[in-house]
Amino acid sequence: MECSKAKVQIDTSTGKLTGEDVSKSTRQLKHLQGIFEDQAAYEAMNPETIVYEVEMHDKETLGTEGGLLFGTSYIYPGKVGKEYFMTKGHFHQKRNRAEYYWGIQGHGVLLFMSETGEVTAEEVLPCSLHYIQGYTAHRLVNIGEDVLAVGACWPSDAGHDYADILERGFSKKVRERNGVPFIE
Ligand code: PAN
Ligand code: ZN
């Protein structure tokens, strides 16, 4: 079958999703108030700057138990002050729900944070597979010069809890120091 006839298509080299039940959301700087530590640098930047986008195949209704959702996140290169562009990060609303991520393009860091605030990290490359256990917040950081594209698959009843992260942040940051990324 010709690929263009598939109901839903994925370009495996870029992660791009097209076709039925594919939706896209965009996060600009103006949507990320309170996420980056350097407020002065944040306010000096164009609020319309796109920090990341998520394409999602949402065949399943959000909240359905037993279903799955699938998506590609694109985190653009850039920094707010010394801090690299990154996702808001979240715990799943249903805390025990797990997720897979895999690197498609670019160079990044995946931060994991336990409920008690311990942070670990894995390098994201176009070959890396990452298992995010339940009860673990997760955030993607682009430390490269090109777009970071990352695939994801998660349970449709996981939900996103952003409030907890907005309140306490991640206990480690990914910053540039002397031209190199540092997790500290
Ligand atoms: C991903 C994330 C996506 C955007 O699909 O939702 O990378 O990150 P934020 O949701 O933290 O803004 C996922 O982890 N879903 O569960
Ligand atoms: Zn998630």
Coordinates of all heavy atoms in Angstrom, one line a residue, residues 14 71-75 85-87 100-112 120-132 138-152 174 181 183:
T14 N 11.5 12.1 11.1 CA 11.3 13.4 11.8 C 10.3 13.3 12.9 O 10.1 14.2 13.7 CB 10.7 14.5 10.8 OG1 9.4 14.0 10.3 CG2 11.7 14.7 9.6
G71 N 2.3 10.6 20.5 CA 2.6 12.0 20.1 C 4.1 12.2 19.8 O 4.9 11.4 20.1
T72 N 4.4 13.3 19.1 CA 5.7 13.8 18.9 C 5.8 15.2 19.4 O 5.0 16.0 19.1 CB 6.1 13.8 17.4 OG1 5.8 12.5 16.8 CG2 7.6 14.1 17.2
S73 N 6.8 15.4 20.3 CA 7.1 16.7 20.8 C 8.3 17.3 20.1 O 9.3 16.6 19.8 CB 7.5 16.7 22.3 OG 6.4 16.1 23.0
Y74 N 8.3 18.6 19.7 CA 9.4 19.3 19.1 C 9.8 20.4 20.0 O 9.0 21.4 20.1 CB 8.9 19.9 17.7 CG 8.3 18.8 16.8 CD1 6.9 18.6 16.8 CD2 9.1 18.1 15.9 CE1 6.4 17.6 16.0 CE2 8.6 17.2 15.0 CZ 7.2 16.9 15.1 OH 6.6 16.0 14.2
I75 N 10.9 20.4 20.5 CA 11.4 21.4 21.4 C 12.4 22.2 20.6 O 13.4 21.6 20.1 CB 12.0 20.9 22.7 CG1 10.9 20.2 23.5 CG2 12.5 22.1 23.6 CD1 10.9 18.7 23.3
F85 N 15.7 25.9 26.4 CA 14.3 25.7 26.2 C 13.9 24.3 26.6 O 14.6 23.4 26.4 CB 14.0 25.9 24.7 CG 13.8 27.4 24.3 CD1 14.1 28.4 25.1 CD2 13.3 27.7 23.0 CE1 13.9 29.8 24.7 CE2 13.1 29.0 22.5 CZ 13.4 30.0 23.4
M86 N 12.7 24.2 27.2 CA 12.3 22.9 27.8 C 10.8 22.9 27.9 O 10.1 23.9 27.7 CB 12.9 22.8 29.2 CG 12.5 23.9 30.1 SD 13.4 23.7 31.7 CE 12.7 25.2 32.6
T87 N 10.2 21.7 28.1 CA 8.8 21.6 28.3 C 8.4 22.0 29.8 O 9.3 22.1 30.6 CB 8.4 20.1 28.1 OG1 9.0 19.3 29.0 CG2 8.6 19.7 26.7
Y100 N 6.4 5.9 27.6 CA 7.7 5.7 26.9 C 8.0 7.0 26.1 O 7.1 7.6 25.5 CB 7.6 4.6 25.8 CG 8.0 3.2 26.4 CD1 7.0 2.2 26.5 CD2 9.3 2.9 26.7 CE1 7.4 1.0 27.0 CE2 9.7 1.7 27.1 CZ 8.7 0.7 27.3 OH 9.1 -0.5 27.8
Y101 N 9.3 7.4 26.1 CA 9.8 8.4 25.2 C 10.9 7.8 24.3 O 11.6 6.9 24.8 CB 10.4 9.5 26.0 CG 9.6 10.6 26.6 CD1 8.2 10.6 26.5 CD2 10.2 11.8 27.1 CE1 7.4 11.7 27.0 CE2 9.4 12.8 27.7 CZ 8.0 12.7 27.6 OH 7.3 13.8 28.2
W102 N 11.1 8.3 23.1 CA 12.2 7.9 22.3 C 12.7 9.1 21.5 O 11.9 9.9 21.0 CB 12.0 6.7 21.5 CG 10.8 6.9 20.5 CD1 10.9 7.2 19.2 CD2 9.4 6.7 20.8 NE1 9.6 7.3 18.7 CE2 8.7 6.9 19.6 CE3 8.7 6.3 22.0 CZ2 7.3 6.8 19.6 CZ3 7.3 6.2 21.9 CH2 6.6 6.5 20.7
G103 N 14.1 9.2 21.4 CA 14.6 10.3 20.7 C 14.5 10.0 19.2 O 14.7 8.9 18.7
I104 N 14.2 11.1 18.4 CA 14.0 11.0 16.9 C 15.1 11.9 16.2 O 15.7 11.5 15.3 CB 12.6 11.4 16.5 CG1 11.6 10.4 17.2 CG2 12.5 11.3 15.0 CD1 10.1 10.9 17.0
Q105 N 15.1 13.1 16.7 CA 16.1 14.1 16.1 C 16.6 15.0 17.2 O 15.9 15.3 18.1 CB 15.4 15.0 15.1 CG 15.2 14.3 13.7 CD 14.8 15.4 12.7 OE1 14.0 16.2 12.9 NE2 15.4 15.3 11.5
G106 N 17.8 15.5 17.0 CA 18.4 16.5 17.9 C 19.0 15.9 19.2 O 19.3 14.7 19.3
H107 N 19.3 16.8 20.1 CA 20.1 16.4 21.3 C 19.4 17.0 22.5 O 19.3 18.2 22.6 CB 21.5 16.9 21.1 CG 22.5 16.4 22.1 ND1 23.7 17.0 22.3 CD2 22.4 15.4 23.0 CE1 24.3 16.3 23.3 NE2 23.5 15.4 23.7
G108 N 19.1 16.2 23.5 CA 18.4 16.7 24.6 C 18.7 16.0 25.9 O 19.5 15.1 26.0
V109 N 18.0 16.4 26.9 CA 18.1 15.8 28.3 C 16.7 15.5 28.7 O 15.8 16.4 28.5 CB 18.8 16.7 29.3 CG1 18.7 16.2 30.7 CG2 20.3 16.8 28.9
L110 N 16.5 14.4 29.3 CA 15.2 14.1 29.9 C 15.4 14.0 31.4 O 16.2 13.3 31.9 CB 14.6 12.7 29.4 CG 13.4 12.1 30.1 CD1 12.2 13.0 30.0 CD2 13.1 10.8 29.5
L111 N 14.7 15.0 32.1 CA 14.8 15.0 33.5 C 13.7 14.2 34.1 O 12.5 14.3 33.7 CB 14.7 16.4 34.0 CG 15.8 17.4 33.7 CD1 15.5 18.8 34.2 CD2 17.2 16.9 34.3
F112 N 14.0 13.4 35.1 CA 13.0 12.6 35.9 C 13.0 13.2 37.3 O 14.1 13.4 37.9 CB 13.4 11.2 36.0 CG 13.6 10.4 34.7 CD1 14.8 10.4 34.1 CD2 12.5 9.7 34.1 CE1 15.0 9.7 32.9 CE2 12.7 9.0 33.0 CZ 14.0 9.0 32.4
T120 N 16.9 12.7 38.4 CA 17.9 11.9 37.6 C 17.7 12.4 36.1 O 16.7 13.1 35.8 CB 17.8 10.4 37.7 OG1 16.4 10.1 37.3 CG2 18.0 9.9 39.1
A121 N 18.7 12.1 35.3 CA 18.6 12.5 33.9 C 19.1 11.5 32.9 O 19.9 10.6 33.3 CB 19.5 13.8 33.7
E122 N 18.6 11.5 31.7 CA 19.1 10.6 30.6 C 19.3 11.5 29.4 O 18.5 12.4 29.2 CB 18.1 9.5 30.3 CG 18.0 8.5 31.4 CD 17.1 7.3 31.1 OE1 16.4 7.3 30.1 OE2 16.9 6.4 32.1
E123 N 20.3 11.2 28.7 CA 20.6 11.9 27.4 C 19.7 11.5 26.3 O 19.5 10.2 26.2 CB 22.1 11.7 27.0 CG 22.6 12.6 26.0 CD 24.1 12.4 25.7 OE1 24.7 11.6 26.3 OE2 24.6 13.2 24.8
V124 N 19.1 12.4 25.6 CA 18.2 12.0 24.5 C 18.9 12.2 23.2 O 19.3 13.3 22.9 CB 16.9 12.9 24.6 CG1 15.9 12.4 23.5 CG2 16.2 12.8 26.0
L125 N 18.9 11.2 22.4 CA 19.6 11.1 21.1 C 18.7 10.4 20.1 O 17.8 9.7 20.5 CB 20.9 10.4 21.2 CG 22.0 11.0 22.1 CD1 23.0 10.0 22.6 CD2 22.6 12.2 21.5
P126 N 18.9 10.5 18.8 CA 18.1 9.9 17.8 C 18.2 8.3 17.8 O 18.3 7.8 16.8 CB 18.5 10.5 16.5 CG 19.4 11.6 16.8 CD 19.9 11.4 18.1
C127 N 18.3 7.8 18.9 CA 18.5 6.3 19.1 C 18.1 5.9 20.5 O 18.1 4.7 20.8 CB 19.9 5.9 18.8 SG 21.0 6.7 20.0
S128 N 17.7 6.8 21.3 CA 17.6 6.5 22.7 C 16.1 6.2 23.1 O 15.2 6.9 22.6 CB 18.1 7.6 23.6 OG 17.5 8.8 23.3
L129 N 15.9 5.2 23.9 CA 14.6 4.9 24.4 C 14.5 5.1 25.9 O 15.5 4.8 26.6 CB 14.3 3.4 24.1 CG 13.0 2.9 24.6 CD1 11.8 3.5 23.7 CD2 12.9 1.3 24.5
H130 N 13.4 5.7 26.4 CA 13.4 6.1 27.8 C 12.0 5.6 28.4 O 11.0 5.9 27.8 CB 13.4 7.6 27.9 CG 14.6 8.2 27.1 ND1 15.8 8.3 27.7 CD2 14.6 8.7 25.8 CE1 16.6 8.8 26.7 NE2 15.9 9.0 25.6
Y131 N 12.1 4.9 29.5 CA 10.9 4.5 30.2 C 10.7 5.3 31.4 O 11.6 5.5 32.2 CB 11.1 3.0 30.6 CG 9.9 2.5 31.3 CD1 8.7 2.4 30.6 CD2 9.9 2.1 32.6 CE1 7.5 1.9 31.2 CE2 8.7 1.6 33.3 CZ 7.5 1.6 32.5 OH 6.4 1.1 33.2
I132 N 9.6 6.0 31.4 CA 9.3 6.9 32.5 C 8.3 6.1 33.5 O 7.2 5.8 33.1 CB 8.6 8.2 32.0 CG1 9.5 8.9 31.0 CG2 8.2 9.1 33.2 CD1 8.8 9.9 30.1
H138 N 8.4 14.4 34.5 CA 9.3 14.3 33.4 C 9.3 15.6 32.6 O 8.2 16.2 32.4 CB 9.0 13.1 32.5 CG 7.5 12.8 32.3 ND1 6.8 12.3 33.3 CD2 6.7 12.9 31.2 CE1 5.5 12.1 32.9 NE2 5.5 12.5 31.6
R139 N 10.4 16.0 32.1 CA 10.6 17.3 31.4 C 11.7 17.1 30.4 O 12.8 16.5 30.7 CB 11.0 18.4 32.4 CG 11.7 19.6 31.7 CD 12.0 20.6 32.7 NE 10.8 21.4 33.1 CZ 10.8 22.3 34.1 NH1 11.9 22.5 34.9 NH2 9.7 22.9 34.4
L140 N 11.5 17.6 29.1 CA 12.5 17.5 28.1 C 13.2 18.8 27.9 O 12.5 19.9 27.9 CB 11.8 17.2 26.7 CG 11.3 15.7 26.6 CD1 10.3 15.6 25.4 CD2 12.5 14.8 26.3
V141 N 14.5 18.8 27.8 CA 15.3 20.0 27.6 C 16.1 19.9 26.3 O 16.7 18.8 26.1 CB 16.3 20.1 28.8 CG1 17.0 21.5 28.7 CG2 15.5 20.0 30.1
N142 N 16.1 20.9 25.5 CA 16.9 20.9 24.2 C 18.2 21.5 24.5 O 18.3 22.7 24.7 CB 16.1 21.6 23.1 CG 16.8 21.5 21.8 OD1 18.0 21.0 21.7 ND2 16.2 21.9 20.7
I143 N 19.3 20.7 24.5 CA 20.6 21.2 24.7 C 21.4 21.3 23.4 O 22.6 21.6 23.4 CB 21.4 20.4 25.7 CG1 21.5 18.9 25.3 CG2 20.8 20.5 27.1 CD1 22.5 18.1 26.0
G144 N 20.7 21.1 22.3 CA 21.4 21.1 21.0 C 21.1 22.4 20.2 O 20.5 23.3 20.7
E145 N 21.6 22.4 19.0 CA 21.4 23.6 18.1 C 20.3 23.5 17.1 O 20.0 24.4 16.4 CB 22.7 24.0 17.4 CG 23.7 24.6 18.4 CD 25.1 24.8 17.9 OE1 25.3 24.6 16.7 OE2 25.9 25.1 18.8
D146 N 19.7 22.3 17.1 CA 18.6 22.0 16.2 C 17.4 21.6 17.0 O 17.5 21.4 18.2 CB 19.0 20.8 15.2 CG 20.3 21.1 14.5 OD1 20.4 22.2 13.9 OD2 21.2 20.3 14.6
V147 N 16.3 21.4 16.2 CA 15.1 21.0 16.9 C 15.3 19.6 17.6 O 16.0 18.8 17.1 CB 13.9 21.0 16.0 CG1 14.0 19.9 14.9 CG2 12.6 20.8 16.7
L148 N 14.7 19.4 18.8 CA 14.7 18.1 19.5 C 13.4 17.5 19.2 O 12.4 18.1 19.7 CB 15.0 18.3 21.0 CG 14.9 17.1 21.8 CD1 16.0 16.1 21.5 CD2 14.9 17.5 23.3
A149 N 13.3 16.4 18.5 CA 12.0 15.7 18.3 C 12.0 14.4 19.1 O 13.0 13.6 19.0 CB 11.9 15.4 16.8
V150 N 11.0 14.2 19.9 CA 10.9 13.1 20.8 C 9.5 12.4 20.6 O 8.5 13.1 20.7 CB 11.1 13.5 22.2 CG1 11.0 12.3 23.2 CG2 12.5 14.2 22.4
G151 N 9.5 11.1 20.4 CA 8.2 10.4 20.4 C 7.8 10.0 21.8 O 8.6 9.9 22.7
A152 N 6.4 9.8 21.9 CA 5.9 9.5 23.2 C 4.7 8.6 23.1 O 3.9 8.8 22.1 CB 5.6 10.7 24.1
V174 N 18.9 22.7 33.9 CA 19.9 22.4 32.9 C 20.3 23.8 32.4 O 19.5 24.5 31.7 CB 19.3 21.5 31.8 CG1 20.5 21.1 30.8 CG2 18.7 20.2 32.4
P181 N 26.3 22.5 28.5 CA 25.2 22.2 29.4 C 25.6 21.6 30.7 O 26.4 20.7 30.7 CB 24.3 21.3 28.5 CG 25.1 20.8 27.4 CD 26.3 21.6 27.2
I183 N 23.9 20.1 34.4 CA 22.7 19.7 35.2 C 23.1 20.0 36.6 O 24.1 19.3 37.2 CB 22.3 18.3 35.0 CG1 22.1 18.0 33.5 CG2 21.1 17.9 35.8 CD1 21.9 16.5 33.1

